Amino acid sequence: MKKTLTALAILAAIPAGMALADDDCKVPLDEWQPKEAVSRLAAENGWTLRKVKVDDGCYEVKAQTREGRRIEAKINPKTLQVIEIDDEDDDDAGRGKRDPAPVGSVAPPANGLFGTGAPPKIQVN
Amino acid sequence: MKSLLTTLALTTALTLPGLAQARPVTLTTTLSGYGGDGAYLVLYVTDARGAYAGTLWMAGDKSKYYQSLGDWYRATGGNPAQINGITGASVGAGQSLKITLDLADALFDAGYVLHIDAAVEEMRDSPNEIALPLTSAGAGKPVRGRRYIANFRYDM
């Protein structure tokens, strides 16, 4: 479901010496740099960190760039090399696709399925 | 794409005449413990000819992921107008999504089929995971999904 961000502006902000590499990280645990190192990397790139977790053997961070874009970056835990950056904002927005209006903000579509036109009630357990 | 949507709108208008009567229906989708991120689910209806009739609910609010809901996306082009006002959050593994709505009477016992497409980040897409004819006799009878949905049922 991911789309790789091709925004050169963001990649250009990554410090020299970092390049694209294979997707998954295969690093022994004792060679991992601590999360604090990821925080420093984010600060150097001008990212405001929202979340740091481990996925596919790599660090995965959710952050916001100086320009306000929400991104998800995969980082090698040993070298702190940025492997991949995904744009969490809608890639399609620039091509006219927008996220839909959430429930309650507008009436359901008049597709003939909703007998009374009332919005659905939702419960998640 | 615009002409397709126009056709869909016209088809819907022509094939769903006089759906004024409605009944409260509860759609319950229970996900399995598939061990991944929250699932995007879309519940939609096709008519007796298999043509897309409309969407009932979209669980997942990022349009960039809608292409993973393959059958629904092919029918709608991902047009947000199809799901404005009927969109909410994705559903976590093991959770149960209960949707209560007033569903048009004419949808039952008339060849309409309720479909669910499902998708999870970094995991295989699952279009048409559920395809269940809407019948009075089928109410209250759970059916199993193929990949992410443990079971689905509708009650009225």
Side-chain angles (χ1 to χ4, degrees):
Chain A
M1 295 175 69
K2 284 184 176 179
K3 288 181 180 176
T4 302
L5 177 70
T6 54
L8 294 175
I10 291 177
L11 287 175
I14 296 169
M18 295 185 177
L20 297 178
D22 291 338
D23 218 3
D24 289 338
C25 309
K26 296 181 178 65
V27 177
L29 277 177
D30 59 355
E31 295 181 18
W32 279 53
Q33 297 209 39
K35 279 189 178 181
E36 290 72 23
V38 178
S39 300
R40 285 195 295 273
L41 171 71
E44 288 167 9
N45 288 336
W47 301 343
T48 303
L49 270 183
R50 292 187 287 126
K51 186 177 181 182
V52 180
K53 67 173 187 176
V54 175
D55 187 43
D56 290 336
C58 310
Y59 277 124
E60 185 179 282
V61 304
K62 292 178 185 290
Q64 186 164 323
T65 68
R66 286 191 190 93
E67 297 77 24
R69 302 292 294 175
R70 291 183 306 158
I71 60 168
E72 181 179 289
K74 190 174 280 191
I75 296 167
N76 184 299
K78 178 180 179 181
T79 64
L80 297 184
Q81 182 181 45
V82 177
I83 297 166
E84 178 185 321
I85 297 179
D86 286 338
D87 190 345
E88 286 203 306
D89 290 326
D90 187 3
D91 288 347
D92 293 330
R95 298 192 290 273
K97 292 280 177 62
R98 301 200 179 282
D99 291 336
V103 65
S105 62
V106 298
N111 56 17
L113 305 181
F114 298 93
T116 62
K121 293 175 182 161
I122 302 302
Q123 185 180 350
V124 178
N125 298 318
Chain B
M1 187 53 65
K2 201 169 184 178
S3 61
L4 170 63
L5 294 174
T6 304
T7 304
L8 284 171
L10 284 172
T11 306
T12 301
L14 291 172
T15 54
L16 296 175
L19 297 185
Q21 301 299 313
R23 67 183 81 177
V25 177
T26 300
L27 313 172
T28 305
T29 309
T30 302
L31 300 189
S32 64
Y34 53 81
D37 288 347
Y40 270 50
L41 306 171
V42 61
L43 290 81
Y44 60 101
V45 175
T46 55
D47 65 16
R49 293 173 298 127
Y52 171 80
T55 302
L56 297 174
W57 185 253
M58 172 65 82
D61 55 4
K62 297 290 181 198
S63 62
K64 66 179 178 178
Y65 294 137
Y66 292 162
Q67 290 186 55
S68 297
L69 303 165
D71 287 0
W72 177 85
Y73 193 88
R74 271 189 292 279
T76 64
N79 181 6
Q82 294 290 325
I83 50 175
N84 280 335
I86 51 171
T87 296
S90 57
V91 183
Q95 288 191 318
S96 185
L97 168 70
K98 188 175 285 190
I99 305 165
T100 304
L101 68 170
D102 290 318
L103 208 52
D105 272 346
L107 295 174
F108 291 90
D109 304 307
Y112 288 93
V113 176
L114 190 150
H115 302 261
I116 305 179
D117 288 6
V120 176
E121 188 170 14
E122 308 276 3
M123 298 177 82
R124 186 179 295 182
D125 298 342
S126 186
N128 208 28
E129 169 139 2
I130 296 284
L132 184 62
L134 289 170
T135 64
S136 302
K141 296 178 180 171
V143 296
R144 294 173 62 88
R146 289 197 322 270
R147 187 171 299 275
Y148 303 114
I149 299 173
N151 60 72
F152 169 81
R153 63 184 284 170
Y154 60 91
D155 295 275
M156 54 189 183

